Amino acid sequence: MVETRSGLTSVSGLTSIEAAPARGIEQSELDAGVRWSVAHAVNGSPWWRAHFAAAGVDPASITGVADLVHLPFTTKQDLRNSYPLGWASVPEEYLVRIHASSGTTGKRTVCAYTVRDIADWADQFARCFTTAGVTSKDRVQVMVGYGLWTAGAGFQAGAERVGALVIPAGPGNLDLQLELIMDFGTTTICATSSFALLLAETVEARGLTGSLPISKGIFGSERWGERMRERIESLLGIETFDIYGLTELYGPGVGIECTEHDGIHYWSDYYYIEIVDPVSGVPLPPGEEGEVVVTTLRKEGMPLIRYRTRDLSRLCTTECKCGSPFPRLARLSGRTDDMVKVRGVAVFPSQVESIIDRVEGVGPEYQLHLHWDPERGDVMVVRIEANEMPGLREKLIHELHEGLSLHPEVELLPYGSLPRTERKAKRVFDHRS
Ligand code: ZN
């Protein structure tokens, strides 16, 4: 039995995250982390040795963050080409687990973990729960996938680390989810935003609004806008938190919003973020939007060095009102691979979403359909859930034209008619090829 800072007695003897308050990281520690990761990768993996050699880089010349710019990027394609364990930088007997992405856009991307990586991930995830105000008094229902998928295992380990009671419901099955929420008094739900919306609309349809014990929702694995947030929060009467992560970088739980909801605090003692121009790869100054590139500082199993995440965001340049020592990344505005070209113009679904978010009477779900018309060329149809209101369609067409420099067609549909999904929602349908 161990007394922790919170005064709780830990039966397992493990100190909770509260016992070791998180702090920011010094420049010298960042530099040491970069040096360690480069040396670790090169010493442990022929793939990494060949990668640096091909770029003509002497790994010994890398002294810290300032030298990152001399190192070549790594991409999801590199990771796939070295499938399954080419990036592993420790002897195989030190690896204790793998997780992998769903492989919806190609070969699965893998993350392999050592004992310390698993512990580091749980610590980061616990910090996320603490940041969202989840404590040992909470009951956390994990409504995401277990197994190869990183999410279930990550949410569970993090919630247990703060001492919360975990209800590992897994994804899907609304009836079971609602039964467990009521029976166990679930206070916090963890899900994709798509599934949270489905749950919220089911609660409304069954007249259960206001009768659930939930007070918080932690949602990740896809980008979700303010309109989606408002609808989920109002239907369920909860506060929601956007959590960040990707399979290659431990999984979810490497950053989260605080109660200020003004960007995502990321755990800069575990990894370093650069923002680069997604086309040229040139690093951008703080505050400018571009692709998120990560370099891990202590990841053993599969370190990431200048890994291009394909996530689009920017670094927040002001200090957060919450006083956290950790820097912030703006909520993701899209992914570089979501981009579609319409009449030669680059369009991101996130642009469409931010435009329709500003129009009153519009629901949270939308789809983009792209067609080829021999007379008119590329045609983009935006399908949006909305209440029928005079002039709404015209207003949406006008706003989309202003924002995208394109003339999309707009199709209005009743609320709830676009599919709700338990996983990531598919929003772009390209029928041109
Ligand atoms: Zn904050």
Side-chain angles (χ1 to χ4, degrees):
M1 304 284 250
V2 173
E3 279 288 307
T4 66
R5 180 175 293 241
S6 63
L8 291 172
T9 302
S10 164
V11 180
S12 65
L14 283 171
T15 50
S16 78
I17 192 77
E18 294 162 282
R23 63 175 181 86
I25 185 167
E26 307 283 338
Q27 184 64 41
S28 61
E29 294 171 301
L30 271 178
D31 289 335
V34 168
R35 282 197 304 274
W36 178 85
S37 291
V38 171
H40 175 70
V42 168
N43 292 336
S45 156
W47 189 93
W48 282 103
R49 280 196 290 279
H51 179 64
F52 291 134
V57 173
D58 174 11
S61 70
I62 303 304
T63 62
V65 166
D67 291 325
L68 278 178
V69 69
H70 304 304
L71 292 173
F73 290 119
T74 45
T75 64
K76 188 170 273 223
Q77 196 54 51
D78 291 332
L79 187 53
R80 285 180 181 144
N81 291 347
S82 66
Y83 182 87
L85 291 173
W87 285 17
S89 300
V90 294
E92 209 169 306
E93 63 265 33
Y94 290 96
L95 296 176
V96 296
R97 196 196 295 175
I98 62 134
H99 282 288
S101 71
S102 54
T104 44
T105 56
K107 196 78 187 160
R108 292 176 191 285
T109 47
V110 175
C111 184
Y113 306 75
T114 64
V115 168
R116 190 177 88 172
D117 293 337
I118 294 280
D120 281 353
W121 185 25
D123 284 347
Q124 291 178 81
F125 224 128
R127 202 186 276 170
C128 288
F129 277 112
T130 303
T131 303
V134 173
T135 71
S136 58
K137 294 195 176 70
D138 279 290
R139 295 171 176 201
V140 176
Q141 193 160 321
V142 180
M143 305 179 170
V144 295
Y146 281 78
L148 271 183
W149 200 239
T150 46
F155 275 105
Q156 174 153 348
E160 288 174 352
R161 198 88 172 79
V162 297
L165 173 65
V166 174
I167 301 138
N173 202 341
L174 284 165
D175 290 327
L176 173 68
Q177 301 289 2
L178 286 168
E179 186 186 325
L180 291 171
I181 288 171
M182 300 306 259
D183 291 353
F184 288 92
T186 300
T187 60
T188 304
I189 57 170
C190 309
T192 62
S193 54
S194 309
F195 188 66
L197 177 65
L198 185 62
L199 182 80
E201 290 179 340
T202 304
V203 164
E204 184 194 33
R206 295 186 186 177
L208 295 172
T209 303
S211 66
L212 267 52
I214 321 168
S215 62
K216 289 186 174 76
I218 299 177
F219 308 138
S221 104
E222 61 185 347
R223 215 183 51 74
W224 45 298
E226 288 304 317
R227 186 58 57 95
M228 178 85 105
R229 188 204 289 276
E230 281 164 25
R231 185 148 168 86
I232 296 169
E233 290 193 344
S234 68
L235 290 178
L236 289 177
I238 62 173
E239 182 177 9
T240 63
F241 296 84
D242 192 358
I243 194 163
Y244 182 60
L246 53 153
T247 303
E248 305 90 307
L249 182 64
Y250 301 96
V254 295
I256 195 170
E257 287 181 317
C258 65
T259 50
E260 296 292 326
H261 301 286
D262 186 19
I264 289 168
H265 288 286
Y266 66 90
W267 312 137
S268 54
D269 43 352
Y270 289 89
Y271 63 103
Y272 180 78
I273 286 185
E274 297 170 86
I275 303 290
V276 306
D277 182 305
V279 179
S280 69
V282 172
L284 297 171
E288 280 192 36
E289 177 156 310
E291 183 176 353
V292 177
V293 173
V294 295
T295 297
T296 54
L297 302 173
R298 48 183 285 145
K299 196 160 171 278
E300 295 177 333
M302 273 196 188
L304 300 180
I305 296 168
R306 296 204 94 198
Y307 183 72
R308 299 186 68 149
T309 64
R310 304 187 183 185
D311 291 328
L312 293 168
S313 184
R314 60 186 165 77
L315 295 174
C316 301
T317 51
T318 55
E319 284 199 1
C320 186
K321 291 197 193 84
C322 77
S324 163
F326 291 101
R328 280 169 306 145
L329 192 62
R331 292 185 76 199
L332 301 190
S333 61
R335 291 181 58 78
T336 57
D337 42 6
D338 286 342
M339 189 194 80
V340 286
K341 284 230 166 161
V342 184
R343 294 173 187 257
V345 177
V347 176
F348 289 98
S350 52
Q351 287 176 289
V352 174
E353 184 170 314
S354 68
I355 293 164
I356 62 180
D357 259 3
R358 296 197 295 265
V359 179
E360 279 301 310
V362 176
E365 282 291 351
Y366 65 95
Q367 290 181 346
L368 305 184
H369 289 263
L370 304 164
H371 304 275
W372 170 257
D373 183 290
E375 307 268 300
R376 298 183 296 161
D378 286 339
V379 178
M380 181 165 87
V381 181
V382 185
R383 309 183 76 192
I384 309 171
E385 293 182 354
N387 294 320
E388 276 297 343
M389 287 196 299
L392 178 60
R393 215 167 67 84
E394 291 68 28
K395 180 165 177 54
L396 281 164
I397 290 171
H398 174 76
E399 294 287 331
L400 287 164
H401 173 58
E402 292 280 301
L404 302 174
S405 306
L406 287 167
H407 281 280
E409 293 177 9
V410 169
E411 222 174 278
L412 297 184
L413 304 160
Y415 271 92
S417 56
L418 288 173
R420 266 50 172 167
T421 162
E422 291 159 11
R423 283 220 173 163
K424 298 182 191 190
K426 179 171 164 65
R427 300 221 162 83
V428 179
F429 299 82
D430 197 339
H431 311 286
R432 292 176 296 186
S433 50

PDB file of all heavy atoms in Angstrom, residues 131 257-263 265 320-324 326 328, ligand 1:
ATOM      1  N   THR A 131      -6.224  15.930 -17.554  1.00  0.00           N
ATOM      2  CA  THR A 131      -6.460  17.241 -18.167  1.00  0.00           C
ATOM      3  C   THR A 131      -7.944  17.484 -18.408  1.00  0.00           C
ATOM      4  O   THR A 131      -8.433  18.604 -18.304  1.00  0.00           O
ATOM      5  CB  THR A 131      -5.667  17.350 -19.489  1.00  0.00           C
ATOM      6  OG1 THR A 131      -4.285  17.138 -19.221  1.00  0.00           O
ATOM      7  CG2 THR A 131      -5.846  18.712 -20.140  1.00  0.00           C
ATOM      8  N   GLU A 257      -7.489  18.420 -25.487  1.00  0.00           N
ATOM      9  CA  GLU A 257      -7.936  19.756 -25.082  1.00  0.00           C
ATOM     10  C   GLU A 257      -8.003  19.837 -23.560  1.00  0.00           C
ATOM     11  O   GLU A 257      -8.313  18.848 -22.902  1.00  0.00           O
ATOM     12  CB  GLU A 257      -9.368  19.985 -25.575  1.00  0.00           C
ATOM     13  CG  GLU A 257      -9.527  20.214 -27.033  1.00  0.00           C
ATOM     14  CD  GLU A 257     -10.995  20.443 -27.354  1.00  0.00           C
ATOM     15  OE1 GLU A 257     -11.869  19.732 -26.826  1.00  0.00           O
ATOM     16  OE2 GLU A 257     -11.267  21.325 -28.153  1.00  0.00           O
ATOM     17  N   CYS A 258      -7.782  21.041 -23.029  1.00  0.00           N
ATOM     18  CA  CYS A 258      -8.072  21.263 -21.613  1.00  0.00           C
ATOM     19  C   CYS A 258      -9.473  21.874 -21.530  1.00  0.00           C
ATOM     20  O   CYS A 258     -10.162  22.004 -22.534  1.00  0.00           O
ATOM     21  CB  CYS A 258      -7.034  22.200 -20.995  1.00  0.00           C
ATOM     22  SG  CYS A 258      -7.089  23.857 -21.705  1.00  0.00           S
ATOM     23  N   THR A 259      -9.885  22.280 -20.341  1.00  0.00           N
ATOM     24  CA  THR A 259     -11.239  22.807 -20.181  1.00  0.00           C
ATOM     25  C   THR A 259     -11.417  24.188 -20.832  1.00  0.00           C
ATOM     26  O   THR A 259     -12.529  24.691 -20.902  1.00  0.00           O
ATOM     27  CB  THR A 259     -11.618  22.893 -18.691  1.00  0.00           C
ATOM     28  OG1 THR A 259     -10.556  23.561 -18.004  1.00  0.00           O
ATOM     29  CG2 THR A 259     -11.799  21.505 -18.087  1.00  0.00           C
ATOM     30  N   GLU A 260     -10.334  24.794 -21.289  1.00  0.00           N
ATOM     31  CA  GLU A 260     -10.467  26.046 -22.047  1.00  0.00           C
ATOM     32  C   GLU A 260     -10.945  25.777 -23.482  1.00  0.00           C
ATOM     33  O   GLU A 260     -11.424  26.678 -24.168  1.00  0.00           O
ATOM     34  CB  GLU A 260      -9.126  26.789 -22.109  1.00  0.00           C
ATOM     35  CG  GLU A 260      -8.587  27.256 -20.753  1.00  0.00           C
ATOM     36  CD  GLU A 260      -9.440  28.344 -20.144  1.00  0.00           C
ATOM     37  OE1 GLU A 260      -9.988  29.169 -20.900  1.00  0.00           O
ATOM     38  OE2 GLU A 260      -9.567  28.372 -18.897  1.00  0.00           O
ATOM     39  N   HIS A 261     -10.761  24.555 -23.954  1.00  0.00           N
ATOM     40  CA  HIS A 261     -11.146  24.157 -25.318  1.00  0.00           C
ATOM     41  C   HIS A 261     -10.590  25.115 -26.377  1.00  0.00           C
ATOM     42  O   HIS A 261     -11.294  25.561 -27.269  1.00  0.00           O
ATOM     43  CB  HIS A 261     -12.684  24.059 -25.440  1.00  0.00           C
ATOM     44  CG  HIS A 261     -13.252  23.081 -24.473  1.00  0.00           C
ATOM     45  ND1 HIS A 261     -13.132  21.715 -24.644  1.00  0.00           N
ATOM     46  CD2 HIS A 261     -13.899  23.260 -23.296  1.00  0.00           C
ATOM     47  CE1 HIS A 261     -13.699  21.099 -23.617  1.00  0.00           C
ATOM     48  NE2 HIS A 261     -14.163  22.011 -22.786  1.00  0.00           N
ATOM     49  N   ASP A 262      -9.325  25.430 -26.226  1.00  0.00           N
ATOM     50  CA  ASP A 262      -8.690  26.364 -27.147  1.00  0.00           C
ATOM     51  C   ASP A 262      -7.419  25.723 -27.699  1.00  0.00           C
ATOM     52  O   ASP A 262      -6.309  26.207 -27.500  1.00  0.00           O
ATOM     53  CB  ASP A 262      -8.389  27.675 -26.388  1.00  0.00           C
ATOM     54  CG  ASP A 262      -7.858  28.750 -27.324  1.00  0.00           C
ATOM     55  OD1 ASP A 262      -8.060  28.626 -28.555  1.00  0.00           O
ATOM     56  OD2 ASP A 262      -7.220  29.703 -26.830  1.00  0.00           O
ATOM     57  N   GLY A 263      -7.563  24.595 -28.356  1.00  0.00           N
ATOM     58  CA  GLY A 263      -6.412  23.876 -28.896  1.00  0.00           C
ATOM     59  C   GLY A 263      -6.069  22.656 -28.047  1.00  0.00           C
ATOM     60  O   GLY A 263      -6.581  22.476 -26.941  1.00  0.00           O
ATOM     61  N   HIS A 265      -3.402  20.468 -26.013  1.00  0.00           N
ATOM     62  CA  HIS A 265      -2.089  20.389 -25.362  1.00  0.00           C
ATOM     63  C   HIS A 265      -1.441  19.078 -25.783  1.00  0.00           C
ATOM     64  O   HIS A 265      -2.060  18.021 -25.681  1.00  0.00           O
ATOM     65  CB  HIS A 265      -2.239  20.403 -23.837  1.00  0.00           C
ATOM     66  CG  HIS A 265      -2.632  21.739 -23.289  1.00  0.00           C
ATOM     67  ND1 HIS A 265      -1.754  22.797 -23.219  1.00  0.00           N
ATOM     68  CD2 HIS A 265      -3.809  22.207 -22.794  1.00  0.00           C
ATOM     69  CE1 HIS A 265      -2.367  23.844 -22.687  1.00  0.00           C
ATOM     70  NE2 HIS A 265      -3.623  23.525 -22.429  1.00  0.00           N
ATOM     71  N   CYS A 320      -1.850  29.170 -22.855  1.00  0.00           N
ATOM     72  CA  CYS A 320      -3.220  28.786 -22.543  1.00  0.00           C
ATOM     73  C   CYS A 320      -3.611  29.354 -21.173  1.00  0.00           C
ATOM     74  O   CYS A 320      -2.802  29.381 -20.251  1.00  0.00           O
ATOM     75  CB  CYS A 320      -3.348  27.267 -22.540  1.00  0.00           C
ATOM     76  SG  CYS A 320      -5.063  26.734 -22.329  1.00  0.00           S
ATOM     77  N   LYS A 321      -4.866  29.755 -21.068  1.00  0.00           N
ATOM     78  CA  LYS A 321      -5.359  30.328 -19.804  1.00  0.00           C
ATOM     79  C   LYS A 321      -5.298  29.319 -18.658  1.00  0.00           C
ATOM     80  O   LYS A 321      -5.306  29.690 -17.493  1.00  0.00           O
ATOM     81  CB  LYS A 321      -6.799  30.806 -19.981  1.00  0.00           C
ATOM     82  CG  LYS A 321      -6.950  32.016 -20.883  1.00  0.00           C
ATOM     83  CD  LYS A 321      -8.329  32.665 -20.660  1.00  0.00           C
ATOM     84  CE  LYS A 321      -8.647  33.669 -21.756  1.00  0.00           C
ATOM     85  NZ  LYS A 321      -9.230  33.023 -22.952  1.00  0.00           N
ATOM     86  N   CYS A 322      -5.257  28.028 -18.997  1.00  0.00           N
ATOM     87  CA  CYS A 322      -5.289  27.004 -17.942  1.00  0.00           C
ATOM     88  C   CYS A 322      -3.967  26.916 -17.187  1.00  0.00           C
ATOM     89  O   CYS A 322      -3.897  26.299 -16.132  1.00  0.00           O
ATOM     90  CB  CYS A 322      -5.636  25.640 -18.524  1.00  0.00           C
ATOM     91  SG  CYS A 322      -4.263  24.851 -19.393  1.00  0.00           S
ATOM     92  N   GLY A 323      -2.907  27.511 -17.748  1.00  0.00           N
ATOM     93  CA  GLY A 323      -1.622  27.501 -17.049  1.00  0.00           C
ATOM     94  C   GLY A 323      -0.786  26.255 -17.285  1.00  0.00           C
ATOM     95  O   GLY A 323       0.277  26.097 -16.688  1.00  0.00           O
ATOM     96  N   SER A 324      -1.246  25.346 -18.152  1.00  0.00           N
ATOM     97  CA  SER A 324      -0.473  24.133 -18.429  1.00  0.00           C
ATOM     98  C   SER A 324       0.878  24.491 -19.026  1.00  0.00           C
ATOM     99  O   SER A 324       0.987  25.410 -19.840  1.00  0.00           O
ATOM    100  CB  SER A 324      -1.250  23.250 -19.413  1.00  0.00           C
ATOM    101  OG  SER A 324      -0.376  22.295 -19.990  1.00  0.00           O
ATOM    102  N   PHE A 326       2.381  22.722 -21.103  1.00  0.00           N
ATOM    103  CA  PHE A 326       2.518  22.049 -22.391  1.00  0.00           C
ATOM    104  C   PHE A 326       1.993  22.903 -23.545  1.00  0.00           C
ATOM    105  O   PHE A 326       0.946  23.543 -23.428  1.00  0.00           O
ATOM    106  CB  PHE A 326       1.798  20.696 -22.365  1.00  0.00           C
ATOM    107  CG  PHE A 326       2.503  19.728 -21.459  1.00  0.00           C
ATOM    108  CD1 PHE A 326       2.018  19.476 -20.190  1.00  0.00           C
ATOM    109  CD2 PHE A 326       3.690  19.139 -21.853  1.00  0.00           C
ATOM    110  CE1 PHE A 326       2.692  18.625 -19.338  1.00  0.00           C
ATOM    111  CE2 PHE A 326       4.369  18.286 -21.005  1.00  0.00           C
ATOM    112  CZ  PHE A 326       3.873  18.025 -19.745  1.00  0.00           C
ATOM    113  N   ARG A 328       0.478  23.949 -27.340  1.00  0.00           N
ATOM    114  CA  ARG A 328      -0.788  23.541 -27.964  1.00  0.00           C
ATOM    115  C   ARG A 328      -0.707  23.521 -29.487  1.00  0.00           C
ATOM    116  O   ARG A 328      -0.024  24.336 -30.113  1.00  0.00           O
ATOM    117  CB  ARG A 328      -1.918  24.503 -27.571  1.00  0.00           C
ATOM    118  CG  ARG A 328      -2.510  24.257 -26.215  1.00  0.00           C
ATOM    119  CD  ARG A 328      -3.412  25.405 -25.832  1.00  0.00           C
ATOM    120  NE  ARG A 328      -2.686  26.664 -25.946  1.00  0.00           N
ATOM    121  CZ  ARG A 328      -3.237  27.806 -26.340  1.00  0.00           C
ATOM    122  NH1 ARG A 328      -4.519  27.865 -26.637  1.00  0.00           N
ATOM    123  NH2 ARG A 328      -2.505  28.894 -26.428  1.00  0.00           N
TER     124      ARG A 328
HETATM  125 ZN    ZN B   1      -5.018  24.698 -21.533  1.00  0.00          ZN
END
